[in-house]
Amino acid sequence: MQLKDLYQGFRHPDTIQHLAKAIAVEAAKVAGEVNIMEVCGGHTHTIMKYGLLQLLPDNIRFIHGPGCPVCIMPKERIDHAAALASMPNVILVSLGDMIRVPGSKGSLAKFRSQGCDIRPIYDPLDTLVIAKDNPDKTVVFFAIGFETSTPMTAVLVEQVIKLQLNNVLFHINHVLVPPAIDA
């Protein structure tokens, strides 16, 4: 079996068995355990759903990590965002995957359906366009993510200052992975 065939048939039983054997060969070369932390709850779900634990050798151990920033967002933070979005003349902006996360009073999608101006974005810098197009409104950027997405928020803050946009506020919710790994 060639490598290109493996990529094309990653759900094919023969491919899975081949990969499991190849992993077992490599794992046998390691003294002790191989610890793999999956960070996101979606990863954990997939590992369980497809029985990956049963396919791998005993010295490979999955450690269930902290969860992605979206999955582990405390309901209170969603409630804060919903309260901000419910204020007059406010546009709440956040990365799209936050919109469906439930708070204690419902998701941001629910508040959006009730008339709150909540806008999912792909790129934090889209906030600049929204703020420029709506100078009479307060635009609140609901920032989420690990250390890897924090620089994007920092660039947005820098641009807001540089462009002297006085109608942009930030609700920062970045989380750190190393403390979870250390624990």
Side-chain angles (χ1 to χ4, degrees):
M1 184 177 285
Q2 293 187 354
L3 193 57
K4 68 179 175 82
D5 297 327
L6 291 175
Y7 291 124
Q8 292 173 350
F10 70 96
R11 286 193 177 159
H12 190 274
D14 291 340
T15 301
I16 293 167
Q17 290 301 322
H18 178 82
L19 288 171
K21 287 177 187 172
I23 291 169
V25 167
E26 294 302 315
K29 298 175 185 176
V30 175
E33 287 187 332
V34 175
N35 295 312
I36 300 171
M37 177 181 281
E38 76 272 5
V39 174
C40 178
H43 299 157
T44 304
H45 176 75
T46 300
I47 289 165
M48 300 303 178
K49 179 180 178 181
Y50 291 105
L52 297 180
L53 294 175
Q54 291 77 11
L55 287 171
L56 297 174
D58 291 338
N59 69 327
I60 294 182
R61 184 172 74 111
F62 282 100
I63 301 168
H64 306 306
C68 70
V70 173
C71 297
I72 64 164
M73 185 65 59
K75 288 184 179 200
E76 295 80 22
R77 301 283 181 94
I78 304 299
D79 294 345
H80 296 164
L84 290 167
S86 298
M87 296 174 78
N89 297 314
V90 168
I91 300 171
L92 184 82
V93 179
S94 188
L95 298 177
D97 43 1
M98 279 309 307
I99 304 301
R100 295 177 59 198
V101 177
S104 65
K105 298 174 185 162
S107 68
L108 295 176
K110 175 187 171 194
F111 283 87
R112 185 177 180 196
S113 72
Q114 294 172 346
C116 294
D117 194 348
I118 300 171
R119 301 187 191 183
I121 57 169
Y122 178 74
D123 180 346
L125 294 179
D126 291 343
T127 305
L128 301 171
V129 174
I130 294 168
K132 286 178 185 178
D133 289 348
N134 297 277
D136 58 327
K137 303 230 178 180
T138 300
V139 178
V140 178
F141 179 68
F142 188 69
I144 62 161
F146 290 125
E147 296 90 341
T148 54
S149 59
T150 303
M152 292 187 300
T153 300
V155 168
L156 177 58
V157 170
E158 180 181 64
Q159 289 301 307
V160 165
I161 293 167
K162 179 181 176 184
L163 297 171
Q164 298 180 354
L165 294 173
N166 297 319
N167 64 330
V168 179
L169 301 175
F170 294 85
H171 190 298
I172 305 296
N173 299 281
H174 291 288
V175 295
L176 302 173
V177 173
I181 292 172
D182 291 342

